[in-house]
Amino acid sequence: MAVDLILSSPLGPPACEKDAKALQFIEEMTRNADSVQENVLAEILARNAHTEYLNGYKLGGAIDRETFKSKVPVVTYEDLQPLIQRIADGDRSPILSAHPISEFLTSSGTSAGERKLMPTIQEELDRRQLLYSLLMPVMNLYVRELDKGKGLYFLFIKSETKTPGGLVARPVLTSYYKSEQFKRRSYDPYNVYTSPNEAILCPDSFQSMYTQMLCGLYEREQVLRVGAVFASGLIRAIRFLQLNWQQLARDIRTGTLNPKVTDASISECMARILRPDPSLADFICKECGEDNWERIIARIWPNTKYLDVIVTGAMAQYIPTLDYYSGGLPKACTMYASSECYFGLNLNPMSNPSEVSYTIMPNMAYFEFLPNELSSNPTSSSLGSSPPKLVDLADLEIGKEYELVITTYAGLYRYRVGDILRVTGFHNSAPQFYFVRRKNVLLSIDSDKTDEAELQSAVANASQLLREFNTSVVEYTSYADTNSIPGHYVIYWELLAKDSANSPTDHVLRRCCLAMEESLNSVYRQCRVADNSIGPLEIRVVKNGTFEELMDYAISRGASINQYKVPRCVTFTPIMELLDSRVVSTHFSPSLPHWTPERRPTKKSQ
Ligand code: AMP
């Protein structure tokens, strides 16, 4: 379906008065990026001047950039961890922020295998809401008449815990969806969801998804856009439809709710929505009953103008699957955000995913940029006492790559986010970035991020089980297989069995799969257990000599023999074909790894 594009100009005529104001705000912020940044930093430093953290760096009440940069070090999460632990344990003194820490946001980035805890303050919710409020005004410049229908968005909350000191710890989106800002949002004809709040806020992921899908099916003709936060979430929703369409159609035929949906507030709100609609039920049975699911999104929701999902960064691997299910509908990546801070938005949201650039909004935090040459220098992992020269937002060079460093209202100062961004241009004087990658991430299927050290230790732990067979893992590599839904980790092992009469059985290798999963970080295990967004880990045992062939292949393509290192993750098709052609056996994890919402105690808090 052709999309109604108005102009390629990001600032064509606004759709309504409210949009005009939002666009005006974007213009003001981006025109004055440097002075907005100066003010943001001054405000953060002035209000937090008496925090324990800033006191320690003896700023003497200074709120200017030069003093800040010369005295305050660039840090990583690990540097702040002891302070964060004190806050989590109940110390209410102003450690990082003068404003009370209202809760912790649990990042999908991990430290020592557990989600990082990001302190936040109440007013950050308003800042997040402000960024959200800019998204539709921009979108309305590119797609007309979004007020004539609704958005089918699959949005979920996740489990939350309390820290020993009683603060809530939960993902940033869970915090946002549970906030008054979201629940009591005022009616906006351009932003009406098919999903009732009751469904979004249901903690049971099956009941939540089921209800959101059911509402989306009832309103199939009204749906103008289909979305989830990340591409993996939308694919999970399609898979859910594949597994549950018969029951969904039954509910629609009879106007009754699947007895598995027991949540009282959902039942109450669905009583107002449910009605018998046999012809809709027939339609769903006909479309979903076909073996071919190509274009299923466009078939079931025929007025969809675009998919609203992030497909940049690690999510780019899902583009072919989304194109298959949607018949190539445009994919809008609207914003770039994290638990630490919401960063910015895409002012050209209908652009091709490979060309997406996010514009940093200078009012969200104080932003600095570490040139990537310094960022990847192994000795600068904690840049401690001698701060390197970081670049300000207004002074970035087009074409160069930088690591993002932020100073937030909630009390992170010169904090390394770990994202590598390339400057593609400027909107007014605010830089625009292509998201290059997250540092050190080897494997990712959903929100999990597994680094090389985690994979290495998972392999080491699992290979203990081979000892009694006098067998060891001589080489390994991995890849994130997203052809299956949900995707799963594949680990290639080359084994050295000293006693071939007693080599490890399938049973043992399956236990090795599970042992690896048990060793992986808590986000991976949560995706496996609670979200069902990652499938069982697979070990593929390859023939002896395979990794030598891999090296020969790399050398034939120009790698240096002296410097050759086995890649711990492969994505290049010929290499994967080579590996797959040498597979002698495959083994899958037989059960789910252990996961509970509670954090595993760290050594310090034990
Ligand atoms: P979390 O802290 O769990 O909220 O994860 C935030 C991280 O997700 C960011 O630092 C990025 O690495 C990634 N991310 C967020 N938004 C985008 C985006 N639009 N494109 C690519 N990666 C993103």
Side-chain angles (χ1 to χ4, degrees), residues 107-108 310 312-313 335-340 358 417 419 435 438:
S107 164
S108 59
I310 292 175
T312 44
M335 69 190 283
Y336 169 44
S338 77
S339 315
E340 293 90 325
Y358 297 101
V417 174
D419 288 348
F435 182 94
R438 173 126 180 151

Side-chain angles (χ1 to χ4, degrees), residues 120-154:
T120 191
I121 56 177
Q122 192 61 31
E123 68 171 46
E124 279 293 294
L125 273 168
D126 296 327
R127 222 164 262 120
R128 280 176 219 129
Q129 195 193 23
L130 174 68
L131 195 71
Y132 282 125
S133 75
L134 305 176
L135 305 182
M136 285 315 290
V138 171
M139 187 53 89
N140 289 335
L141 295 175
Y142 293 90
V143 186
R144 278 207 196 98
E145 303 197 324
L146 290 172
D147 57 337
K148 303 286 185 286
K150 298 189 179 184
L152 165 54
Y153 282 77
F154 295 96

Side-chain angles (χ1 to χ4, degrees), residues 106-109 115 118 171-173 229-230 310-315 333-344 356 358 404 417-420 435-439 441 447 449:
T106 52
S107 164
S108 59
R115 286 172 176 272
M118 296 300 168
V172 63
L173 291 173
V229 178
F230 289 110
I310 292 175
V311 285
T312 44
M315 290 293 144
C333 301
T334 57
M335 69 190 283
Y336 169 44
S338 77
S339 315
E340 293 90 325
C341 175
Y342 279 22
F343 307 122
V356 166
Y358 297 101
L404 183 60
V417 174
D419 288 348
I420 305 293
F435 182 94
V436 180
R437 65 192 163 86
R438 173 126 180 151
K439 260 173 39 191
V441 173
S447 52
K449 299 169 174 66

Side-chain angles (χ1 to χ4, degrees), residues 98 102 110 121 141 164 184 212 218 276 278 296 357 380 413 428-429 508 512 517 541:
S102 51
T110 54
I121 56 177
L141 295 175
R184 303 209 184 289
Q212 297 193 50
Y218 266 117
I296 193 75
S357 285
S380 65
Y413 306 92
N428 296 320
S429 53
V508 172
C512 290
E517 296 200 297
V541 177

Side-chain angles (χ1 to χ4, degrees), residues 138-439:
V138 171
M139 187 53 89
N140 289 335
L141 295 175
Y142 293 90
V143 186
R144 278 207 196 98
E145 303 197 324
L146 290 172
D147 57 337
K148 303 286 185 286
K150 298 189 179 184
L152 165 54
Y153 282 77
F154 295 96
L155 306 176
F156 301 93
I157 59 163
K158 293 195 179 183
S159 60
E160 52 189 57
T161 56
K162 281 223 161 113
T163 66
L167 284 169
V168 171
R170 55 191 175 184
V172 63
L173 291 173
T174 301
S175 161
Y176 184 68
Y177 299 146
K178 286 187 163 184
S179 71
E180 295 303 306
Q181 281 84 340
F182 178 78
K183 286 192 288 191
R184 303 209 184 289
R185 63 197 182 276
S186 53
Y187 175 79
D188 173 357
Y190 291 93
N191 210 6
V192 182
Y193 296 147
T194 54
S195 297
N197 283 359
E198 289 82 349
I200 295 171
L201 294 173
C202 174
D204 181 284
S205 62
F206 174 86
Q207 296 184 51
S208 174
M209 175 78 95
Y210 190 92
T211 313
Q212 297 193 50
M213 187 61 84
L214 189 56
C215 294
L217 293 174
Y218 266 117
E219 302 211 66
R220 59 178 282 273
E221 305 271 1
Q222 281 82 54
V223 169
L224 301 183
R225 50 206 170 102
V226 176
V229 178
F230 289 110
S232 52
L234 184 52
I235 287 169
R236 192 148 57 95
I238 299 304
R239 178 75 185 147
F240 186 91
L241 182 61
Q242 241 165 6
L243 296 174
N244 293 283
W245 63 266
Q246 279 150 320
Q247 180 65 43
L248 287 156
R250 214 169 296 144
D251 288 8
I252 292 172
R253 190 175 302 285
T254 57
T256 55
L257 191 57
N258 179 352
K260 282 196 193 151
V261 181
T262 53
D263 183 282
S265 54
I266 289 188
S267 314
E268 201 183 306
C269 105
M270 289 310 286
R272 296 191 292 274
I273 294 173
L274 281 166
R275 59 185 187 278
D277 188 341
S279 64
L280 175 58
D282 287 344
F283 171 82
I284 290 162
C285 292
K286 182 177 142 291
E287 293 296 339
C288 298
E290 274 185 28
D291 287 340
N292 180 359
W293 271 51
E294 197 172 348
R295 291 186 61 256
I296 193 75
I297 296 177
R299 286 195 267 146
I300 297 202
W301 296 284
N303 299 316
T304 310
K305 293 175 189 250
Y306 66 94
L307 305 181
D308 190 344
V309 277
I310 292 175
V311 285
T312 44
M315 290 293 144
Q317 61 190 336
Y318 292 107
I319 292 174
T321 315
L322 283 179
D323 284 344
Y324 176 80
Y325 285 135
S326 73
L329 280 170
K331 295 163 287 297
C333 301
T334 57
M335 69 190 283
Y336 169 44
S338 77
S339 315
E340 293 90 325
C341 175
Y342 279 22
F343 307 122
L345 74 175
N346 180 358
L347 292 179
N348 189 4
M350 299 305 275
S351 54
N352 193 300
S354 61
E355 287 158 17
V356 166
S357 285
Y358 297 101
T359 304
I360 294 275
M361 283 300 288
N363 58 308
M364 299 301 289
Y366 175 61
F367 298 100
E368 293 176 274
F369 300 86
L370 181 60
N372 197 20
E373 310 89 78
L374 296 175
S375 159
S376 43
N377 174 354
T379 59
S380 65
S381 69
S382 167
L383 296 164
S385 50
S386 57
K389 189 127 186 59
L390 301 204
V391 182
D392 271 328
L393 185 140
D395 304 325
L396 295 161
E397 284 180 53
I398 294 178
K400 276 203 168 172
E401 290 185 3
Y402 300 89
E403 182 185 339
L404 183 60
V405 175
I406 54 171
T407 296
T408 67
Y409 285 89
L412 298 175
Y413 306 92
R414 315 196 83 194
Y415 175 89
R416 299 177 68 172
V417 174
D419 288 348
I420 305 293
L421 310 174
R422 180 164 57 243
V423 185
T424 54
F426 286 84
H427 179 76
N428 296 320
S429 53
Q432 303 187 292
F433 293 101
Y434 174 77
F435 182 94
V436 180
R437 65 192 163 86
R438 173 126 180 151
K439 260 173 39 191

